Amino acid sequence: MAPFQFIDRPSPFNTKNGKTLPIFAITPAHIETGTIDPVALDWAKKAGFKAESGGLLMVPTADGHLGGALFGLGKNPSDAPYLTGKLARTLPAGDWHIETAPLTANRLALGYGLGSYRFERYKASASEAPTLLIPADADAADIKRQLAGVFLARDLINTPTNDMGPDALEDVFRALGAHYKAKVSVIAGDDLLKENFPLVHTVGRASEQAPRLLELRWGKKGHKRVTLVGKGVCFDTGGLDIKPAASMLLMKKDMGGAANVMGLALMIMDAKLKVDLRVLVPVVENSISGNAFRPGDIYRSRKGLTVQIDNTDAEGRLILADALAYADEEDADLIIDMATLTGAARVALGPDLPPFFTDDDDLAQDLAEASLSVDDPMWRMPLYMGYDKDVSARIADLTNAPAGGMAGAITAALFLKRFVTRNRHWAHFDIFAWAQSERPHSPIGGEAQAIRALYHHMRGFAA
């Protein structure tokens, strides 16, 4: 069965072994020592090709036809392990294979695949794309499922809210579950109050599309129990504490946590990992209307803790609070939540290095090792209890927006920690879910962050 796709797109790979053009992926040392194809070497020297990182040179045949390409990896190929993604956007259309490369087969093929991503739902393709032959010693099935998970996350984030509001996100969630024969259930609208999800209802009630909690279950009882929770704010106006226009431009990506856990769930289910999987996605649009929640309001959460609303633009932690409390009601071997939660995390680590928070030192070490193994960056930040007093309120148990503005990513994580008290193995990821500049393995736009590393960790965890 092919991996789930939200947007059908042609494969970036070909199967035309023996009928493809060669790519010589080389370092400057290959030219200096002459350890590449003689014809390609002669052409490189005549053209002054230095094999600098990302450099590309077409190589002709003796009769003037296209015979192949030289691709520069620079002096230290390990500095850019997915540099081959650039080939997917710079090679001319045609069918290609890598002839030589000082990279593992999985890295070069996965890098090419990641770089091949195009979001063309609203714009016709500008050109025909090249294809690459996956090397025989690469794990083609696993490369394709990782790409499917990453592309699902990117597609959902890139789709504007008029086509990816709460109704549409539920449709994709149901389709993903149906593809892998998972059980999907939804609690929506005023039923959220009946089923005790008051904060999800509070944040989303002002929207024309009802708030809801999506739940997916897959796998066999008795396997390791994994729960994924993703923030699904399909658009965030800021509520009555409305954002300025410039800050609202990218708020279609405020469901990036939901998109990423759905991409991760795809990888887990497609690989048939031996886990008992549960996915929870609270879905809302933080809108403004006569029944919008207000600054100064106090609401009781699913866990029973009361929360004072000191800023309606700190809504993500509210819907996560109910979802995490629900997740924590069952024993789990691992709970992961992902959310585009704070600007403070971006100030601390920038857009490309998502922080994670956990009290579990062994889990933190395992995640750090997984991150390095697959070059999917993440960085542990502290759940510093010295700041825990900052999330307390004078006339309620908690505030959703501590005063002062300092350590915002930590205080947000400490807020969430109040709702995970039964299960020790929990990690919170504060992701940006967006690439601000083009990189070899991704264009500007929605981005999957940390899910390849989490998938790598779970493969070992499940085994």
Side-chain angles (χ1 to χ4, degrees), residues 290-302:
N291 67 339
F293 71 122
R294 297 164 291 254
D297 285 354
I298 296 176
Y299 296 96
R300 190 171 299 276
S301 67
R302 179 179 182 86

Side-chain angles (χ1 to χ4, degrees), residues 199-254:
L199 295 181
V200 179
H201 182 273
T202 292
V203 174
R205 70 191 185 202
S207 172
E208 288 187 356
Q209 295 187 25
R212 64 206 71 193
L213 180 81
L214 313 180
E215 182 170 5
L216 178 150
R217 291 181 181 264
W218 175 91
K220 293 183 179 179
K221 302 296 181 185
H223 289 161
K224 294 273 185 79
R225 303 184 75 172
V226 174
T227 300
L228 308 177
V229 182
K231 172 188 168 185
V233 178
C234 292
F235 194 85
D236 181 19
T237 65
L240 292 176
D241 289 309
I242 192 168
K243 293 177 182 288
S247 299
M248 227 184 286
L249 284 174
L250 283 183
M251 282 302 99
K252 68 176 183 179
K253 78 172 184 68
D254 212 18

